[in-house]
Amino acid sequence: MRMWAQSHLCQKQRMFSLLAAAFALAFLIIGTSQSASAIPAFARKYGLRCSACHESWPMLNFFGQKFKDNGYQLMNDRDAPIWQNPGYWPVTFRIIPIWHRVSTAQVATDQSATGEQKITQSGFDLSGLDFHTGGTLDKNISFYVLPSSDATASFHFETVMARLDNIGGSSWFNIKLGKFELDNLLSEKRILTLTGNGGVYQLYHFIPQGDGNIWGQMGDNQLGLEWLGHSANDRTRVSAALLSSNDGQVGLPYGAESYSGFFTASQAFDFGKLGVSRFGAYAMVGEAPTIWLTSGGVGIPGSGTGNKGFSREGFVGQIYFGEHADVTVVTQHGEDSAWFGQGYGDFVDNPVAGTNFLNGYGVTSLPAGSRNPTWNGVLVEPHYVISPQAIILARWETIRMSQQSTPGTASNLGNISTYTVGARFNPFMTPRAGFAYHAEYNWLHQDGTGVVPGTNINTSELLAGFDFDF
Amino acid sequence: MNSRLLRLTNAAVIVGFLALPALVQAQISEYQEKQWLDTPAATSHIGNLTGNAHAATEPYRRYCTVCHGELGDGNGESAYWFDTPLFFKPRDFTTAVFKCRSTPTGTLPTDEDIYDSIGRGLDRSNMPPWNTFSAQMRADLVAWIKHYSPRWQTEKPGEPIVIPPEPEVTAERIKAGQDVFNRVQCWKCHGVEGRGNGPSASTLQDDQGRPILPYNFAEGGRFKCGTSDADLYKIFMTGLDGTPMPSFSDNIKPEEAWDLVFFLRTLQPFHTKAKELAKGLNLKPINPNAPPPSQ
């Protein structure tokens, strides 16, 4: 039995080596042929290479950020679509075929003697499909619509917004309305990584263990109204957004009247030969419901009241060391009301009264000693830009609980540490389409949240694929 | 070898091979570029900044090659698609002919002139304002642009024209400005009301024989070569080289030039003091069929 298992493993390993070699060969052959990338819709419109706006597609550089802040305009008096060939249609598709190997510890199984075991899967796979369409409707009026599917082509609206820019001729007055990405200087929608855990910023989605507040996820696109102001060269930028506390979900499914705010301010400085670096701060402060009406014991969407507060705030630095090296740092201090900490809040995952403290009616006080859960986190993402067509990146994120809601809870319960390393290479760079070979490894550890109480989660993923858009 | 180690090695192989082609590419172009770059003219001086062409290798590739071309000849892969006269073809740096100069027509611009153009961009063309760049990077790009033409090794930039201090705008000066506009026949191209529809407008070609349209003042777009009154003064006293827009330094005296500046401001759709004063004047557009005025 053991023998068999071993030889089976050997075969798998050999397969893997072969695969690695095949990838490597393909990269080498296509890569050495001469000639990166973005929403090719924009690149096509202006005849720019992806590398003009993207440090490495899809991550923006400062020029790309300015283009976005101007409402997808270069400000060359030729931004309105009336100047384009009538055949021009600003649409881009993006989908990512991959091979990946996912290893998840602490999966509950009936077969394991301890009730949990590690599961490792590998194989070829797909990402979902994104239809990006965006651009100007007229000078200083623009839109962005992004129907996005999961890997089974079940679609939702990831982004739908219209914007008015340079109102009254001032770059300090720009507004957008709809569902959009929060004005995060380090954009999760433009993340350079693709694995399940490494493809998001943990800091942007952190929820303490047992906490019922899903509304503080600044990585999720939100519904609301945003004002943005910036200097002409975008060195100074400030924004404020009023959001529905719905975590971006349409149809007002949560609170009857719950709003949040998201605020950013940043300033870029010219450090001579080192380049331009940006420093800023952000804050998300909001309220979300804890009490729901029920019908037959089931929560009624949109009936949430009993708003309680939460906040996330931190600093962001995008620091450049010349043409090739840079590092982005984001910090976060987070705090939820003790009500969320005790599990009140989201009922969608637990719609039946009684579970997860769904129905707060009649509950006027929390268990003695309940406190606001608080935590601190930091994210560090260095990049090494080999050329406009190749980038190596790494990321380290850690989140540490500083106060658990329930006294006596293990102080490290829910703490996260994660590392990601990756490389992206664009074999060609034209204003028409984008294509990247992508390789990445992510490892994530979380304290105390395993299925067997008191055990930790360790998962890892190795991924290689073709990230393309056209 | 245990299985985890083997897998990690495999991952390293993938990552390593990913990086390799990029390195190979960088070496080829570095070799070519070294040959072109080692000329003394490939530096720039802007204020107390010194630009070095070598430092602009990557930025030029990242931001500029697509239009201005690997060889600086304006034949980047996008150039073909910019249709004149609505758009403009990218500048050919090998001829060292520039539109926006503080120096007399026919001469090389100063380093500052090119530096300013990079940060300002050229309106009504796909040349964007690259004002997010560090000052050093723009200076390096100026040096880079200069390595494409041997003119920079043999010629010195022209002496910037002297612009007298701007006088107070008055109704008389605006009236006098219109007379200059009439006399030197700006209207032949720009039209009597500055709408870019003069009798010659449809026949104009740039030095490469491509159709080009005169600027339409009524549209209110920014000038390519700066927005201030002094910039406007410079535009018609130095000309936009490479285009039919000539230099008028031989036909217009410095005081008259300011008069013309004030008059041109009345043609734009902005609220300016000149425009306010012009209302009282009740200026009639020039009659294009009138006999040509004596110079």
Side-chain angles (χ1 to χ4, degrees):
Chain A
M1 186 67 190
R2 255 195 105 196
M3 277 296 288
W4 178 84
Q6 268 194 348
S7 73
H8 176 71
L9 205 75
C10 271
Q11 207 177 334
K12 251 174 72 178
Q13 283 170 353
R14 221 173 300 132
M15 273 284 289
F16 189 79
S17 302
L18 225 85
L19 201 83
F23 265 117
L25 200 72
F27 294 162
L28 195 70
I29 292 169
I30 310 176
T32 40
S33 70
Q34 275 281 1
S35 137
S37 271
I39 298 235
F42 294 151
R44 277 199 299 270
K45 174 171 173 183
Y46 292 105
L48 288 166
R49 283 182 181 173
C50 317
S51 64
C53 287
H54 300 272
E55 175 164 327
S56 173
W57 166 68
M59 180 198 169
L60 294 178
N61 59 27
F62 290 146
F63 182 77
Q65 182 72 45
K66 190 190 77 168
F67 175 75
K68 181 179 172 225
D69 290 347
N70 279 321
Y72 314 112
Q73 300 185 107
L74 283 187
M75 308 301 288
N76 66 350
D77 227 34
R78 290 288 180 271
D79 294 299
I82 195 77
W83 295 104
Q84 297 304 312
N85 181 312
Y88 173 75
W89 199 44
V91 177
T92 297
F93 294 10
R94 181 186 181 192
I95 188 161
I96 311 164
I98 55 171
W99 174 90
H100 60 160
R101 186 185 65 98
V102 189
S103 171
T104 316
Q106 292 275 327
V107 179
T109 66
D110 299 333
Q111 284 68 32
S112 159
T114 56
E116 61 80 25
Q117 71 183 95
K118 179 173 174 171
I119 291 187
T120 301
Q121 319 145 269
S122 81
F124 296 97
D125 213 342
L126 284 183
S127 74
L129 171 64
D130 287 344
F131 281 101
H132 295 260
T133 167
T136 47
L137 297 163
D138 195 4
K139 188 173 174 173
N140 291 327
I141 303 179
S142 58
F143 77 102
Y144 206 110
V145 176
L146 168 55
S148 180
S149 85
D150 63 15
T152 66
S154 162
F155 274 87
H156 69 279
F157 289 117
E158 183 68 17
T159 303
V160 177
M161 57 128 162
R163 8 184 332 173
L164 305 178
D165 290 283
N166 303 306
I167 298 169
S170 165
S171 62
W172 295 98
F173 291 101
N174 309 283
I175 58 165
K176 66 173 90 147
L177 175 72
K179 180 174 175 182
F180 47 80
E181 180 181 16
L182 298 185
D183 188 26
N184 289 314
L185 283 175
L186 178 66
S187 158
E188 187 178 279
K189 303 298 156 186
R190 300 172 179 284
I191 200 165
L192 289 173
T193 45
L194 302 172
T195 50
N197 287 317
V200 292
Y201 297 124
Q202 300 296 327
L203 217 54
Y204 287 7
H205 298 277
F206 184 71
I207 300 173
Q209 189 63 11
D211 187 290
N213 177 13
I214 58 158
W215 298 279
Q217 300 185 67
M218 38 189 277
D220 288 338
N221 286 4
Q222 308 277 351
L223 282 148
L225 178 72
E226 183 191 274
W227 161 76
L228 165 74
H230 61 90
S231 59
N233 63 3
D234 218 33
R235 289 273 206 273
T236 311
R237 57 195 303 296
V238 278
S239 68
L242 178 67
L243 312 162
S244 271
S245 301
N246 280 332
D247 197 37
Q249 298 194 44
V250 292
L252 306 177
Y254 296 113
E257 203 170 358
S258 314
Y259 292 94
S260 309
F262 190 78
F263 309 90
T264 69
S266 68
Q267 176 69 42
F269 300 92
D270 187 339
F271 289 106
K273 287 199 157 68
L274 291 178
V276 176
S277 292
R278 184 179 286 281
F279 302 92
Y282 68 87
M284 184 178 197
V285 285
E287 287 191 331
T290 52
I291 301 173
W292 308 88
L293 294 174
T294 55
S295 169
V298 176
I300 300 175
S303 69
T305 52
N307 283 330
K308 296 288 184 275
F310 62 88
S311 67
R312 316 275 182 266
E313 59 271 326
F315 298 99
V316 185
Q318 293 172 303
I319 304 150
Y320 282 77
F321 308 95
E323 276 308 301
H324 293 288
D326 63 90
V327 60
T328 299
V329 179
V330 184
T331 70
Q332 180 175 100
H333 175 75
E335 175 163 4
D336 275 355
S337 149
W339 286 78
F340 295 127
Q342 291 299 319
Y344 292 89
D346 174 32
F347 76 95
V348 168
D349 295 330
N350 295 288
V352 181
T355 64
N356 208 27
F357 303 95
L358 159 71
N359 186 351
Y361 274 111
V363 181
T364 51
S365 63
L366 294 171
S370 301
R371 306 173 297 191
N372 290 359
T374 59
W375 63 91
N376 295 298
V378 64
L379 177 165
V380 181
E381 183 171 316
H383 302 136
Y384 186 76
V385 182
I386 301 168
S387 81
Q389 286 167 254
I391 190 168
I392 300 175
L393 69 134
R395 186 182 317 127
W396 169 67
E397 268 186 277
T398 184
I399 301 168
R400 295 274 171 272
M401 291 299 299
S402 53
Q403 176 166 287
Q404 302 282 8
S405 184
T406 306
T409 310
S411 65
N412 66 347
L413 177 69
N415 284 359
I416 289 180
S417 294
T418 179
Y419 301 90
T420 311
V421 289
R424 282 170 77 78
F425 173 62
N426 303 91
F428 64 88
M429 199 166 23
T430 73
R432 291 290 188 270
F435 188 93
Y437 306 127
H438 183 102
E440 179 186 336
Y441 177 77
N442 167 267
W443 173 83
L444 179 136
H445 171 94
Q446 189 167 30
D447 284 322
T449 52
V451 285
V452 174
T455 57
N456 305 328
I457 284 184
N458 283 297
T459 88
S460 67
E461 183 172 351
L462 177 66
L463 178 152
F466 294 160
D467 188 351
F468 67 97
D469 65 345
F470 57 100
Chain B
M1 211 181 334
N2 77 32
S3 71
R4 176 170 300 174
L5 203 67
L6 191 78
R7 285 167 203 201
L8 272 176
T9 321
N10 286 332
V13 166
I14 293 188
V15 172
F17 274 87
L18 264 172
L20 198 66
L23 290 173
V24 173
Q25 265 186 340
Q27 271 165 12
I28 294 167
S29 51
E30 219 169 84
Y31 170 72
Q32 295 169 330
E33 280 157 14
K34 275 226 170 76
Q35 288 190 314
W36 305 328
L37 280 173
D38 287 331
T39 62
T43 53
S44 71
H45 301 279
I46 291 113
N48 48 19
L49 279 178
T50 302
N52 177 341
H54 278 281
T57 314
E58 283 286 283
Y60 184 81
R61 242 184 101 201
R62 176 178 280 276
Y63 297 105
C64 321
T65 308
V66 68
C67 293
H68 294 287
E70 204 78 57
L71 303 171
D73 54 6
N75 277 325
E77 67 238 38
S78 286
Y80 178 77
W81 302 99
F82 301 157
D83 291 332
T84 55
L86 280 191
F87 288 85
F88 289 79
K89 295 293 183 193
R91 188 69 66 256
D92 174 356
F93 297 136
T94 65
T95 63
V97 174
F98 292 89
K99 287 187 179 175
C100 303
R101 288 165 296 98
S102 58
T103 62
T105 182
T107 63
L108 292 174
T110 65
D111 290 353
E112 284 88 351
D113 289 338
I114 304 179
Y115 177 88
D116 290 344
S117 296
I118 295 172
R120 193 196 309 116
L122 274 78
D123 253 39
R124 308 184 301 288
S125 88
N126 277 339
M127 167 71 188
W130 300 105
N131 56 2
T132 53
F133 293 177
S134 69
Q136 181 64 46
M137 188 159 130
R138 269 189 266 164
D140 293 339
L141 282 163
V142 172
W144 175 274
I145 287 170
K146 288 167 68 178
H147 96 272
Y148 282 125
S149 169
R151 278 185 68 190
W152 294 99
Q153 293 165 50
T154 52
E155 285 174 52
K156 288 237 160 326
E159 195 57 41
I161 63 162
V162 178
I163 304 179
E166 179 169 349
E168 189 66 28
V169 53
T170 60
E172 296 74 58
R173 282 186 172 276
I174 293 168
K175 180 86 193 48
Q178 190 189 32
D179 292 342
V180 180
F181 189 80
N182 190 10
R183 188 189 81 220
V184 302
Q185 300 182 340
C186 305
W187 55 270
K188 277 225 160 139
C189 299
H190 290 282
V192 291
E193 293 174 308
R195 294 182 179 276
N197 56 355
S200 314
S202 58
T203 64
L204 299 176
Q205 293 187 336
D206 69 8
D207 285 5
Q208 268 79 39
R210 305 178 190 116
I212 186 169
L213 296 172
Y215 176 78
N216 177 350
F217 288 86
E219 222 171 38
R222 271 172 301 158
F223 303 128
K224 292 192 172 175
C225 303
T227 48
S228 71
D229 287 351
D231 290 329
L232 181 49
Y233 184 111
K234 250 186 298 191
I235 287 168
F236 61 80
M237 294 298 265
T238 68
L240 266 56
D241 283 2
T243 80
M245 170 65 204
S247 158
F248 290 86
S249 58
D250 293 341
N251 316 69
I252 301 178
K253 294 200 261 316
E255 321 82 73
E256 293 178 327
W258 278 118
D259 299 345
L260 180 53
V261 166
F262 297 140
F263 171 69
L264 295 174
R265 288 296 189 202
T266 68
L267 302 175
Q268 294 181 293
F270 306 125
H271 294 288
T272 57
K273 193 167 174 210
K275 190 127 183 155
E276 227 21 70
L277 288 169
K279 269 191 200 143
L281 273 177
N282 238 332
L283 286 180
K284 296 211 167 43
I286 296 143
N287 174 6
N289 300 319
S294 53
Q295 292 267 333

